[in-house]
Amino acid sequence: MKLKIEFGMYVRTKDGLIAKYIKKNNEYEWHVFDDKIQWFYESYINEIEFEDWEDFVKEEVTKASFDLIDLIEVGDYVNGYKVIEVGYEEDGHKYLDFDRENDALHWGQSSSIEYDEEIKTIVTKEQFEQMQYVVE
């Protein structure tokens, strides 16, 4: 299934980068994001050239949504708390939880997510994996 990405949507890449698609720059022939979106020539960039757009969407983007919470997965950290699966399902929605004592928040991973806090930060599990140093 081909993803259709529109202005204002958030995307998540297979490398765990999350950014919002904000505009198309016709002068430089770039699709522009509000944050780093791709590793390119030893640096992170926030734009994708027109000629690379279809390949980028097809090969790199794993999720896209107008609602940022739809991109969150088990193992990510939201506002400093690890997202865990609680194994609870209701009406086809899988519920996730924060791994923190006595103050768990739940939401369903679907189009009808309920979440009471403002999302300020997300660090994805892929970003943690890329940064880790493994001692043998």
Side-chain angles (χ1 to χ4, degrees):
M1 182 175 113
K2 183 178 176 183
L3 288 173
K4 182 179 179 191
I5 300 175
E6 301 174 25
F7 298 124
M9 290 182 92
Y10 296 92
V11 300
R12 180 180 180 130
T13 70
K14 68 179 183 180
D15 293 325
L17 300 173
I18 294 176
K20 187 175 186 177
Y21 181 35
I22 56 173
K23 69 179 180 178
K24 189 187 294 189
N25 183 323
N26 289 317
E27 181 180 353
Y28 292 104
E29 298 185 342
W30 291 338
H31 294 272
V32 183
F33 290 83
D34 70 342
D35 200 5
K36 302 166 194 146
I37 194 64
Q38 183 180 12
W39 177 259
F40 190 72
Y41 294 129
E42 300 182 3
S43 64
Y44 283 104
I45 59 172
N46 67 345
E47 66 271 337
I48 306 298
E49 294 182 4
F50 283 4
E51 64 189 44
D52 299 329
W53 181 251
E54 285 189 31
D55 287 339
F56 169 74
V57 172
K58 180 179 163 187
E59 297 170 13
E60 299 295 326
V61 176
T62 59
K63 292 182 177 180
S65 176
F66 284 106
D67 194 348
L68 183 58
I69 202 165
D70 291 338
L71 305 185
I72 295 171
E73 298 178 356
V74 171
D76 293 345
Y77 284 76
V78 176
N79 297 344
Y81 297 102
K82 187 174 184 179
V83 177
I84 60 173
E85 187 171 349
V86 292
Y88 174 71
E89 287 192 32
E90 183 178 287
D91 298 327
H93 300 166
K94 183 186 288 184
Y95 283 81
L96 305 175
D97 194 357
F98 288 115
D99 188 10
R100 60 180 169 179
E101 295 181 21
N102 304 322
D103 194 16
L105 295 173
H106 301 273
W107 70 88
Q109 197 167 19
S110 73
S111 59
S112 59
I113 293 172
E114 295 176 12
Y115 183 63
D116 295 333
E117 280 187 32
E118 179 182 345
I119 295 175
K120 296 178 182 169
T121 61
I122 301 172
V123 179
T124 65
K125 61 185 177 232
E126 293 88 356
Q127 290 170 315
F128 269 101
E129 290 169 3
Q130 291 171 10
M131 294 175 14
Q132 74 181 351
Y133 172 74
V134 178
V135 180
E136 294 183 36

